[in-house]
Amino acid sequence: MPSYRIHRLKENPRQSFRWGAHTAGVASVKPKDYEPLGVVEAAHPYAAWSALRESDSPLEIGDLLEDESGALRIYKYVGFEEARWVLPEVKTGFDSVPPAVGLPQCQSAPNSV
């Protein structure tokens, strides 16, 4: 049976999520807004929701289920929808370096006759 990792939305982002307008399409979520809660075995996300419904830690609006392939499903008022992690942009350190000036080194000198 498939297993799902549970990612619990932290309380502050949950309030924003709860009162925000519903948007259709893939939800963009930030890893820093979530904390791991555990794993549940279920045939599909709705079976996981049902299994956790009567537990001490039921799924709440905004929580994520991550399947074994890494695909995310976010729990919304309308059910589960697709989600993707939004990872912070990696700074290379070259942002402040000015571009090179001059001719490339690979050009040869003109032939003199």
Side-chain angles (χ1 to χ4, degrees), residues 83-112:
R84 287 196 191 116
W85 293 122
V86 175
L87 301 175
E89 187 177 322
V90 177
K91 301 285 184 180
T92 61
F94 294 112
D95 300 339
S96 61
V97 176
V101 179
L103 296 174
Q105 293 292 334
C106 62
Q107 289 187 349
S108 60
N111 293 338
S112 57

Side-chain angles (χ1 to χ4, degrees), residues 10 14 16 27 35 41 53 61 69 76 97 99 109:
K10 295 177 181 176
R14 182 179 309 283
S16 299
E35 46 195 22
E41 289 189 5
R53 182 171 61 176
I61 300 300
S69 70
K76 294 185 172 184
V97 176

Side-chain angles (χ1 to χ4, degrees), residues 2 4 7 13 16 20 23 26-27 37 47 64 68 75 81 96-97 111:
Y4 293 90
H7 300 275
S16 299
T23 57
V26 179
L37 187 62
L64 297 171
E68 294 164 339
Y75 178 45
E81 293 186 354
S96 61
V97 176
N111 293 338

Side-chain angles (χ1 to χ4, degrees), residues 27-94:
S28 298
V29 294
K30 298 176 184 176
K32 69 179 184 101
D33 291 340
Y34 289 86
E35 46 195 22
L37 187 62
V39 176
V40 61
E41 289 189 5
H44 49 78
Y46 290 99
W49 172 82
S50 181
L52 294 170
R53 182 171 61 176
E54 301 297 324
S55 74
D56 292 337
S57 299
L59 287 179
E60 297 178 22
I61 300 300
D63 289 347
L64 297 171
L65 292 178
E66 181 179 6
D67 69 17
E68 294 164 339
S69 70
L72 296 173
R73 305 294 288 177
I74 189 166
Y75 178 45
K76 294 185 172 184
Y77 291 107
V78 296
F80 288 94
E81 293 186 354
E82 186 179 354
R84 287 196 191 116
W85 293 122
V86 175
L87 301 175
E89 187 177 322
V90 177
K91 301 285 184 180
T92 61
F94 294 112

